[in-house]
Amino acid sequence: MKIIIAGAGEVGFHLAKLLSYESQEITLIDTKKDSLAYAGEHLDIRTIKGDATSISILREGRIDTAALFIAVTSSETTNITACVLAKQLGAKRTIARISNTEFIDNKETVGFSKFGIDELISPESLAASEIELLLNQYGFNDTYEFEEGALTMLGLRLSRTATFVDKTVKEAAEIYPELNFIPIAIQRLGTQYTIIPRGDTIFKEGDKVVFITSKNGDEELFKLSGKVKVLIKNVMILGGSQIGFQTAKDLCSSKFNVKLVESRRGKAEDLAEEIPNALIICGDGRNVDILDEENISDMDAFIAVTGNSETNIMSCLLAKSKGVKKTIALVENMDYYQLSQSIGIDTLINKKLLAANNIFRYIRKGEVVAMTKLTNMNAELLEFVVKPKSKITNKVIKDVKFPKSAIIGGVIREGQGSIPLGSFKIEAGDRVVVCCLPRSISEVERFFS
């Protein structure tokens, strides 16, 4: 597949990196010579220096043969314009990164596809949704919902009190036969290796384990993991950025008690008008006295989404020291993203990585309808729609010769999620959630193509 990416920033580079592993034909366009040089040195891709809104540059990239054009520059206007031009010049499908969430809210009304834009991606909106999901699944470090919660991915670190520590997956399944969840990936404490668990894999204290659960499986998982579920109600947000605004707005509509701290007076006044149900505080959130005055120790969650990664990390550590149960920090630096557990913050989120992963699902073969990369793990979660002629159709799971580095985590049939055992028969129309290591993706896709 020929894919052209406009923008060699972190989103564009991450996308190009993921796609280059897939042996796709990638062309990367950017105005910055240094960004292109770095990408060209580290990836097997073609680079073009120039403006993505230039017709001559698009033609140089052979836009008329492109199956997909993705515009992810830092300029919303550039992305929209480039997609419109690309479509007119022959690109089969276009995706534009935008920051104005109004565009997504009114996507059907405006009819962006008529202009030549097939999909809109908002990193800010994705980050706000991720934060809300994390708060609703307190106790878990990773979350992702399939089909509005029919199946949910949940990640946690096993404590000494978890009842299945030192047991194999098979032993745990025999002891708790009615469980509504299945482990799909494990990372041992202190290692960078991702294990796709089999029946003889042993759960160990300190493991980071990712599970797939059907409805109410999270409750069972809490009990068996030795964690106590605590309702999150009082939330403090640091930073009135687009993500801070969107998160506060979403949480208020979900009946959370929200305090938002913003240092710029004019911005704080605007936020107070736009989100009347939130308490807007004008002040420097890095000031311990201000946070104490606003009773930070009474908060159930602290979310730092300023434009400065270091400020977000340090303020979350401060919140932890004050007894706040759940901390979430927005980080721009991808290197920080790997450090969440080691530095004591519950969850780090990177809006660019969220955007890249969201865009990535459009490239997958075999009717992939959703995908996410597991945080800090070298594994991906894919949701496939089973077609009548797919190789896996009408097969019993235990008879499917899946690679050992992949596992079926769940099946959604007619809107109902289930955790399938070996005797489960896959049918056309099923939505199958698979976890696999990158080296197995192509092999897995063949079962669903």
Side-chain angles (χ1 to χ4, degrees):
M1 183 189 290
K2 179 174 174 53
I3 300 168
I4 298 176
I5 301 171
E10 285 189 320
V11 179
F13 179 80
H14 184 67
L15 266 176
K17 182 179 177 182
L18 290 173
L19 294 170
S20 65
Y21 294 153
E22 304 285 307
S23 301
Q24 308 283 4
E25 185 185 344
I26 310 299
T27 299
L28 188 61
I29 300 173
D30 200 284
T31 55
K32 296 176 183 174
K33 188 176 180 180
D34 291 346
S35 298
L36 290 176
Y38 182 82
E41 288 170 10
H42 291 80
L43 306 173
D44 183 20
I45 61 173
R46 181 188 179 205
T47 62
I48 298 175
K49 183 181 180 298
D51 187 341
T53 61
S54 163
I55 292 173
S56 61
I57 289 292
L58 291 174
R59 282 179 171 157
E60 186 183 339
R62 301 194 298 277
I63 191 67
D64 57 317
T65 63
L68 183 63
F69 177 82
I70 307 168
V72 288
T73 74
S74 57
S75 168
E76 178 178 76
T77 306
T78 297
N79 296 337
I80 291 172
T81 305
C83 281
V84 172
L85 290 172
K87 193 76 168 191
Q88 294 301 316
L89 293 170
K92 292 185 176 62
R93 192 170 181 80
T94 63
I95 301 173
R97 170 190 174 182
I98 52 121
S99 55
N100 186 347
T101 54
E102 277 189 334
F103 289 159
I104 289 180
D105 296 338
N106 298 282
K107 185 165 67 172
E108 302 304 324
T109 308
V110 175
F112 282 93
S113 58
K114 289 184 291 187
F115 306 135
I117 303 171
D118 296 303
E119 298 291 342
L120 295 170
I121 299 290
S122 166
E124 290 76 15
S125 182
L126 290 169
S129 298
E130 178 83 354
I131 289 167
E132 185 176 5
L133 185 57
L134 285 164
L135 294 186
N136 286 325
Q137 295 288 359
Y138 168 67
F140 299 104
N141 303 322
D142 253 346
T143 59
Y144 190 87
E145 282 189 347
F146 295 91
E147 304 307 306
E148 298 180 348
L151 291 174
T152 305
M153 177 201 84
L154 300 168
L156 56 80
R157 198 164 287 279
L158 297 185
S159 62
R160 183 172 41 82
T161 55
T163 56
F164 39 76
V165 163
D166 295 330
K167 293 182 175 63
T168 65
V169 171
K170 185 178 180 181
E171 287 170 345
E174 289 171 351
I175 297 169
Y176 312 108
E178 302 303 316
L179 293 186
N180 291 311
F181 59 81
I182 183 173
I184 58 167
I186 296 175
Q187 185 182 62
R188 300 293 190 204
L189 184 64
T191 74
Q192 294 296 315
Y193 299 109
T194 301
I195 301 167
I196 302 298
R198 319 312 299 181
D200 59 355
T201 304
I202 299 171
F203 292 111
K204 295 183 180 179
E205 180 184 346
D207 280 354
K208 180 184 176 184
V209 187
V210 178
F211 296 87
I212 292 288
T213 79
S214 54
K215 282 198 182 297
N216 302 319
D218 59 329
E219 300 287 346
E220 297 173 351
L221 199 47
F222 261 115
K223 294 172 189 171
L224 296 176
S225 66
K227 293 180 178 288
V228 178
K229 189 162 186 177
V230 180
L231 182 67
I232 289 185
K233 198 68 183 169
N234 301 312
V235 179
M236 183 177 286
I237 300 171
L238 177 63
S241 62
Q242 182 67 35
I243 296 175
F245 165 73
Q246 191 69 43
T247 301
K249 187 178 172 184
D250 292 348
L251 294 181
C252 284
S253 63
S254 299
K255 308 302 182 189
F256 286 86
N257 299 322
V258 178
K259 290 183 179 181
L260 191 152
V261 183
E262 168 57 49
S263 59
R264 297 165 292 177
R265 179 164 297 280
K267 183 67 175 176
E269 290 171 352
D270 291 342
L271 289 168
E273 289 181 13
E274 294 179 66
I275 325 171
N277 294 331
L279 176 60
I280 309 299
I281 300 145
C282 183
D284 188 344
R286 295 170 297 183
N287 187 316
V288 179
D289 293 334
I290 288 177
L291 295 180
D292 282 336
E293 283 174 21
E294 297 303 330
N295 303 315
I296 188 172
S297 57
D298 293 336
M299 295 295 114
D300 301 314
F302 183 87
I303 303 161
V305 288
T306 74
N308 186 290
S309 299
E310 290 77 11
T311 295
N312 295 339
I313 290 170
M314 294 308 295
S315 57
C316 278
L317 292 175
L318 173 62
K320 269 292 183 190
S321 73
K322 298 289 183 180
V324 178
K325 305 179 195 78
K326 179 80 172 178
T327 54
I328 301 172
L330 176 74
V331 293
E332 291 295 309
N333 189 325
M334 297 285 275
D335 295 333
Y336 290 155
Y337 191 69
Q338 307 294 331
L339 303 174
S340 57
Q341 296 299 319
S342 61
I343 62 179
I345 295 172
D346 294 306
T347 309
L348 297 181
I349 59 172
N350 181 289
K351 63 182 182 182
K352 294 172 182 175
L353 184 60
L354 287 172
N357 285 344
N358 197 271
I359 292 168
F360 197 39
R361 75 175 192 266
Y362 296 109
I363 292 106
R364 290 298 190 198
K365 295 170 285 187
E367 296 296 313
V368 175
V369 291
M371 70 82 62
T372 184
K373 190 177 188 307
L374 302 186
T375 306
N376 296 347
M377 286 191 178
N378 186 35
E380 292 182 24
L381 206 53
L382 306 170
E383 180 187 358
F384 294 91
V385 173
V386 180
K387 294 184 285 191
K389 294 185 178 179
S390 296
K391 291 179 183 176
I392 202 168
T393 306
N394 296 323
K395 294 278 197 313
V396 174
I397 286 179
K398 64 183 177 184
D399 296 334
V400 178
K401 291 183 170 57
F402 244 42
K404 289 193 177 297
S405 50
I407 185 171
I408 293 176
V411 176
I412 300 169
R413 180 175 293 167
E414 296 179 354
Q416 297 295 313
S418 60
I419 305 301
L421 300 176
S423 58
F424 188 95
K425 188 177 182 180
I426 302 292
E427 297 178 0
D430 286 350
R431 302 171 91 91
V432 180
V433 175
V434 177
C435 181
C436 62
L437 302 185
R439 66 174 182 267
S440 306
I441 290 173
S442 297
E443 191 176 347
V444 169
E445 284 176 337
R446 286 197 284 272
F447 284 93
F448 297 92
S449 59

